Amino acid sequence: MEPPLFPRESGQFIAERSRDVFVEEEGVQKVAEMLFNLRHTDDLTASGWKKANPLAPVPTSDQALNWVFVIDTMNFSFWPEEETQQCEVTYKGTTYTGYMTLCAAIARAMEEGIPITDPKYFSQMSMEELGQVLRSDNETPMPMLQERHQVLTEGGRVLLEHGGSFRSFISRAGNDARKMVELIVEKIHSYRDEATFEGKRISLYKRAQILVADFWGVMEARGEGDIINMDWLTMFADYRVPQALVFLGALRYTDTLMQALNKGELLSSGDRREVEIRGCSIWSVELIKERLCKLVKERDGQTCNVNSAVIDFYLWPYAKKHHKEMAYIPIHHTRCIYY
């Protein structure tokens, strides 16, 4: 069986054949200009990572690396069936929804003395124990508990087979971001975010890439972020960033797709429209990055060191911050373990 195209090549392949999602040249330029104006701020650096997630532990401990692994292994499908019925977790007086409920639940468990970042523990924890860790503060539970339990225990067992920590596991790829992604998807089944599009096997690898980018964020905060090939990573194709790209004009959906999403139609993982939304998001961010680097070269006479992961680190909180203005653009709904 031929190996799938890597995410960047997949994005281009999909964008060139897409029927319902289109990358818009003008919007790409607009976003590049917006990012150009932010080029000297923390918003476009890896150090913006910690700022974006106040619940992340201090980066100096190796526990922070296991924390990243636990979070990214269960980082999928937080959208509620009904907007009014969101799973909520309150931690230290702040009530969180969405992805942050996971971070808050893990922080709460650590405070309660549960060794949730120890692979020896989470590789064999029961579903009931995980249910207790991820408990909601209202009647709406966090979705997909069974799947979260399955992927976390599987991931823990893989870490135990490779030195017993995420640090020892990932060090097998040296300091190369591309090799890290390849290692993760080879060894941990739940990270194989792949599909078939027009007869071609493609990959999107949202969680594998975000795991490497988060690892880089922690190492960068320690002053040890000399990871090569970070530019090989693409954006992390989920359901929040595509919405921001449509809002900013870098992506356009056909009326037919808009109608289907507005009706709340559930797209299955691998559905053509779902693959187009994610693939075109990847390709539009690649073009934004190219355009941004061109601006930096032309106007500043400098080499651009902004990669797609950093652009994603900016766009995701941007989407959260502007969610009210973006409410008229529907997010696509796919219940799966990949994002």
Side-chain angles (χ1 to χ4, degrees):
M1 208 173 174
E2 62 164 343
L5 294 174
F6 284 123
R8 186 179 192 278
E9 291 68 31
S10 296
Q12 183 174 10
F13 181 83
I14 293 160
E16 284 168 356
R17 292 159 182 79
S18 188
R19 294 178 200 155
D20 279 297
V21 186
F22 302 99
V23 178
E24 298 285 85
E25 196 56 42
E26 214 174 297
V28 163
Q29 183 65 30
K30 185 181 121 185
V31 179
E33 293 278 357
M34 178 177 99
L35 296 176
F36 178 76
N37 294 329
L38 294 167
R39 69 197 182 285
H40 299 311
T41 67
D42 257 4
D43 288 328
L44 286 187
T45 62
S47 62
W49 175 86
K50 176 72 179 102
K51 201 171 68 182
N53 194 341
L55 297 177
V58 290
T60 44
S61 67
D62 267 2
Q63 187 187 40
L65 296 174
N66 282 349
W67 179 90
V68 156
F69 180 79
V70 167
I71 293 287
D72 288 341
T73 298
M74 294 192 285
N75 178 2
F76 53 82
S77 207
F78 297 103
W79 51 271
E81 296 292 340
E82 299 289 333
E83 272 309 314
T84 51
Q85 296 177 341
Q86 292 251 25
C87 165
E88 291 179 349
V89 173
T90 302
Y91 177 70
K92 292 196 169 170
T94 304
T95 299
Y96 297 94
T97 59
Y99 159 74
M100 293 303 287
T101 54
L102 176 64
C103 302
I106 298 299
R108 178 179 63 189
M110 287 163 76
E111 205 166 78
E112 289 167 354
I114 298 167
I116 189 62
T117 58
D118 181 351
K120 282 195 202 69
Y121 175 76
F122 68 74
S123 62
Q124 50 185 10
M125 73 190 299
S126 69
M127 189 138 72
E128 290 66 36
E129 286 168 324
L130 184 62
Q132 178 61 15
V133 165
L134 301 180
R135 69 190 181 275
S136 172
D137 287 336
N138 60 19
E139 296 74 57
T140 308
M142 196 180 289
M144 301 183 83
L145 176 64
Q146 196 176 339
E147 290 82 355
R148 290 182 208 280
H149 176 255
Q150 200 178 333
V151 301
L152 186 61
T153 51
E154 175 214 18
R157 288 192 294 272
V158 172
L159 295 192
L160 291 181
E161 286 160 14
H162 296 84
S165 71
F166 179 58
R167 180 81 191 259
S168 62
F169 168 73
I170 205 69
S171 65
R172 285 157 197 265
N175 67 335
D176 185 325
R178 173 181 172 165
K179 287 188 175 144
M180 288 178 193
V181 170
E182 290 177 317
L183 175 73
I184 293 162
V185 298
E186 181 202 342
K187 301 288 183 194
I188 311 175
H189 196 267
S190 74
Y191 278 87
R192 282 180 212 156
D193 178 6
E194 299 167 0
T196 301
F197 186 83
E198 300 237 329
K200 196 95 177 146
R201 285 185 70 216
I202 57 103
S203 70
L204 302 150
Y205 296 153
K206 183 255 178 173
R207 288 196 297 111
Q209 295 198 90
I210 210 169
L211 180 52
V212 171
D214 281 346
F215 173 69
W216 174 60
V218 172
M219 300 311 277
E220 191 80 3
R222 291 182 182 192
E224 299 172 41
D226 57 341
I227 293 170
I228 61 165
N229 261 338
M230 280 303 293
D231 206 40
W232 182 84
L233 299 184
T234 66
M235 60 77 78
F236 320 123
D238 65 354
Y239 47 84
R240 186 64 69 195
V241 177
Q243 184 193 31
L245 291 167
V246 174
F247 178 72
L248 292 165
L251 280 188
R252 177 174 58 83
Y253 294 169
T254 60
D255 292 346
T256 323
L257 177 59
M258 273 299 225
Q259 279 161 12
L261 299 181
N262 274 319
K263 278 195 312 215
E265 188 182 327
L266 199 62
L267 306 185
S268 58
S269 180
D271 178 292
R272 184 186 177 100
R273 295 160 300 173
E274 184 251 2
V275 173
E276 286 188 7
I277 291 169
R278 299 181 73 207
C280 291
S281 296
I282 286 176
W283 189 239
S284 75
V285 171
E286 289 305 303
L287 296 179
I288 288 164
K289 178 181 70 177
E290 256 174 44
R291 203 62 45 83
L292 172 62
C293 289
K294 201 169 166 217
L295 291 174
V296 170
K297 197 163 189 250
E298 285 169 0
R299 296 179 190 174
D300 292 348
Q302 286 176 348
T303 314
C304 171
N305 55 4
V306 171
N307 57 47
S308 298
V310 163
I311 294 175
D312 190 290
F313 282 162
Y314 173 76
L315 288 173
W316 193 84
Y318 177 93
K320 290 288 273 186
K321 196 168 142 194
H322 297 273
H323 71 100
K324 284 198 171 84
E325 295 119 277
M326 292 187 196
Y328 70 95
I329 300 160
I331 63 167
H332 72 281
H333 289 124
T334 301
R335 227 11 127 202
C336 68
I337 62 168
Y338 300 117
Y339 62 99

